[in-house]
Amino acid sequence: MSLFLFKRLATLIGTLIGASVIVFLVLEILPGNAAQMLMGPDAAPEAVAALATKLGLDQPAWTRYWHWIGGLLTGNLGDSYAYSSPVLDLILERLALTVPLAMMAMALTVVIALLVGVTAAARHNKLGDVGLMGMAQVGIAIPNFWFAILLILVFSVQLQWFSAGGFEGWGEGIFAGIKSLLLPALSLAVVQAAILARITRSAVLEVMREDFVRTARAKGVSQRAVLWTHVLRNAMIPVITVMGMQFSELLAGTIVVENVFYLPGLGRLIFQAISNRDLIVVRNCVMLLAAMVVIVNFVVDVLYAVIDPRIKASDI
């Protein structure tokens, strides 16, 4: 097990290093000048040059890269050009909304997808299967932002059960915070749940053809127990793979949804930083999202070994 974890950790570190280089280089080749953007188009060249020197933009690219990496390792991400405050504080403040939003969306995705996928597989080629998969196909075709607007029209404008936007803050209580994030989480979850439901159905149907399932049924085990105890666990490898990718997509998807619901999360911070050419914020936020994706994939690999020890043995 130690060798398995070591190989996975080495892959994680190498991927993070590669991601940091790509993120830095991509932002370096973007047109525009942060100092010029902050000073305005009518600013004197001398003032723009002085601000660029103050911000360290006149240093060689490789020097700025190593300074950035050193800051990532020590927690010193620098100060935002536009907000004039530490980038780390800005990110932590926004993560307090974005992470719970993504986790709520992932929880809704898993619950809906497993119920729909297993139920459809249990009614294979019957009316229930066709109906559920038809609904899943419609869910895949719905854009997140369109469904978010639809939820606002129905539950905020017509029924007035939820606020149309904004976030009251966790200081108002957990229930108030969850209520503010429920519609955004649902708008993020519907497409992912539809995709995961189809994957779950296919995986469950494949496992149901195995000999051990027929043996369990021959011993008198109920169909519900066979499905939820024996079949689902053995079908979880492809399902967990998709879950890991979907959580990463949910984190990235908050950029659009947070702007629709006017939520002060990480996605809205990235959108505003791009508009302001606040590259230091953009760079650190994108690197954070990339790190989350890599870490989620690492966790998924470990879960593979927990669910199916044969994967760990073959990898070692």
Side-chain angles (χ1 to χ4, degrees):
M1 186 65 177
S2 298
L3 179 59
F4 175 83
L5 289 177
F6 175 78
K7 293 174 68 174
R8 289 296 182 268
L9 282 172
T11 302
L12 182 147
I13 294 173
T15 305
L16 287 177
I17 293 174
S20 69
V21 173
I22 293 174
V23 169
F24 184 84
L25 291 178
V26 168
L27 292 178
E28 280 295 306
I29 63 177
L30 287 177
N33 185 294
Q36 185 71 61
M37 180 69 70
L38 293 174
M39 296 293 294
D42 300 327
E46 296 80 7
V48 174
L51 180 60
T53 301
K54 179 181 178 181
L55 298 176
L57 300 177
D58 60 334
Q59 298 178 357
W62 66 269
T63 302
R64 285 184 281 120
Y65 173 78
W66 286 115
H67 286 169
W68 176 50
I69 294 299
L72 289 176
L73 296 177
T74 60
N76 180 18
L77 306 184
D79 294 335
S80 165
Y81 304 153
Y83 294 94
S84 298
S85 59
V87 175
L88 182 60
D89 293 344
L90 289 173
I91 292 177
L92 292 178
E93 179 184 355
R94 305 303 180 96
L95 281 178
L97 184 148
T98 298
V99 171
L101 173 59
M103 293 180 66
M104 284 180 60
M106 193 70 237
L108 289 172
T109 297
V110 172
V111 171
I112 296 172
L114 292 184
L115 287 174
V116 172
V118 175
T119 302
R123 293 162 174 77
H124 182 48
N125 286 336
K126 296 181 180 179
L127 182 60
D129 181 21
V130 175
L132 288 173
M133 288 301 98
M135 293 173 58
Q137 190 63 42
V138 173
I140 294 174
I142 296 177
N144 285 333
F145 70 89
W146 184 87
F147 191 65
I149 295 173
L150 182 62
L151 291 177
I152 292 174
L153 290 175
V154 174
F155 293 101
S156 300
V157 178
Q158 297 294 331
L159 300 177
Q160 297 184 357
W161 291 353
F162 297 91
S163 172
F167 182 65
E168 298 182 7
W170 298 111
E172 299 295 326
I174 296 179
F175 177 78
I178 292 176
K179 184 179 179 181
S180 299
L181 297 181
L182 186 57
L183 291 185
L186 185 59
S187 66
L188 283 170
V190 62
V191 175
Q192 304 302 330
I195 297 172
L196 188 61
R198 295 181 67 88
I199 298 297
T200 302
R201 173 184 175 274
S202 299
V204 169
L205 286 175
E206 184 176 351
V207 175
M208 286 175 66
R209 301 186 183 99
E210 298 292 336
D211 292 337
F212 75 89
V213 176
R214 290 192 289 269
T215 302
R217 287 178 174 174
K219 290 181 178 180
V221 181
S222 65
Q223 183 179 8
R224 177 176 297 182
V226 170
L227 280 173
W228 294 98
T229 304
H230 301 284
V231 174
L232 186 58
R233 175 170 180 175
N234 287 275
M236 285 302 290
I237 293 296
V239 174
I240 289 179
T241 301
V242 178
M243 284 182 185
M245 294 186 295
Q246 286 186 323
F247 187 73
S248 305
E249 292 179 7
L250 289 173
L251 288 170
T254 58
I255 296 177
V256 175
V257 171
E258 284 178 3
N259 281 280
V260 173
F261 287 93
Y262 207 76
L263 297 173
L266 188 65
R268 187 162 181 81
L269 175 63
I270 294 174
F271 179 81
Q272 293 171 337
I274 292 174
S275 302
N276 296 328
R277 283 289 296 180
D278 198 350
L279 292 186
I280 190 170
V281 174
V282 177
R283 182 183 297 129
N284 286 290
C285 288
V286 172
M287 188 61 209
L288 174 63
L289 292 176
M292 287 182 175
V293 172
V294 175
I295 292 172
V296 167
N297 289 331
F298 171 77
V299 173
V300 168
D301 286 343
V302 175
L303 288 177
Y304 286 167
V306 173
I307 294 174
D308 191 349
R310 293 173 300 177
I311 294 178
K312 177 183 65 178
S314 63
D315 185 82
I316 294 176

